[in-house]
Amino acid sequence: MGSRMGLIGCLIIVVAIVLQLSGATAETVYTVGDSLGWAVPPNTSYYSTWATTNLQTFLLGDSLEFNWTATHTVAEVSEADYNNCTKVSSVIASPFKFTPPTAGSYYIICTVDDHCEQGQKFSFTVNGSPAEPPTSSASSLSVGALFAIMATTFFLLSIYFSAYL
Ligand SMILES: [Cu+2]
């Protein structure tokens, strides 16, 4: 009876620790283009629409993953080079994971042939800093901490009572 309560207490602590860790490491990896991957899109607004739909809450620490099979490149360029589809030096090997180093606006293009002109390009904004976590993750952390304290108390009480039962 007592050892079973101790085991339950242990399990609760493990669950609480897992909850805390999952709250602390909330970086998101976005797969560019979803199932299409990084390719010449079916229409010129495909990637800009994808970015508008999927990258609204892109936070510092989040990443983009580019996957492609045919010949493509990934180049992070200036706004002017983005608008002009300038052929700058670029990453040529897939897959490529890009983690923006600072908050701000980013411009991504493919530099192969006329792919950029065909819409293989998008821009997005990296929001905030990791020092300012969103309210939801902050509250889940404090809930996790409270849960851990309760579980520890339960665990110690169960050890205390198991000595007398
Ligand atoms: Cu391309």
Side-chain angles (χ1 to χ4, degrees), residues 25-37:
T25 56
E27 292 87 5
T28 304
V29 178
Y30 296 91
T31 302
V32 175
D34 296 324
S35 58
L36 180 67

Side-chain angles (χ1 to χ4, degrees), residues 8-18 147-148 151-153 155-156:
I8 292 168
C10 274
L11 285 173
I12 291 172
I13 290 169
V14 168
V15 169
I17 290 169
V18 168
F147 201 64
T152 305
T153 306
F155 181 57
L156 292 174

Side-chain angles (χ1 to χ4, degrees), residues 4-144:
R4 185 181 295 175
M5 287 179 73
L7 190 64
I8 292 168
C10 274
L11 285 173
I12 291 172
I13 290 169
V14 168
V15 169
I17 290 169
V18 168
L19 282 174
Q20 278 193 284
L21 289 178
S22 64
T25 56
E27 292 87 5
T28 304
V29 178
Y30 296 91
T31 302
V32 175
D34 296 324
S35 58
L36 180 67
W38 187 232
V40 175
N43 57 72
T44 54
S45 61
Y46 184 88
Y47 284 106
S48 56
T49 302
W50 178 85
T52 305
T53 307
N54 294 278
L55 304 181
Q56 283 297 325
T57 57
F58 197 103
L59 297 172
L60 198 58
D62 292 346
S63 302
L64 293 173
E65 184 166 297
F66 296 82
N67 299 293
W68 66 90
T69 49
T71 304
H72 298 290
T73 64
V74 176
E76 189 229 320
V77 298
S78 68
E79 185 175 8
D81 287 344
Y82 176 83
N83 290 328
N84 296 321
C85 289
T86 309
K87 292 191 172 17
V88 298
S89 63
S90 52
V91 173
I92 60 171
S94 172
F96 171 61
K97 190 174 174 184
F98 175 57
T99 307
T102 57
S105 296
Y106 285 83
Y107 302 89
I108 306 290
I109 65 173
C110 174
T111 60
V112 173
D113 299 334
D114 63 347
H115 295 185
C116 177
E117 285 83 353
Q118 290 189 64
Q120 196 175 6
K121 61 191 289 192
F122 64 93
S123 64
F124 67 104
T125 301
V126 177
N127 303 293
S129 75
E132 302 167 343
T135 315
S136 57
S137 71
S139 63
S140 74
L141 272 180
S142 58
V143 167

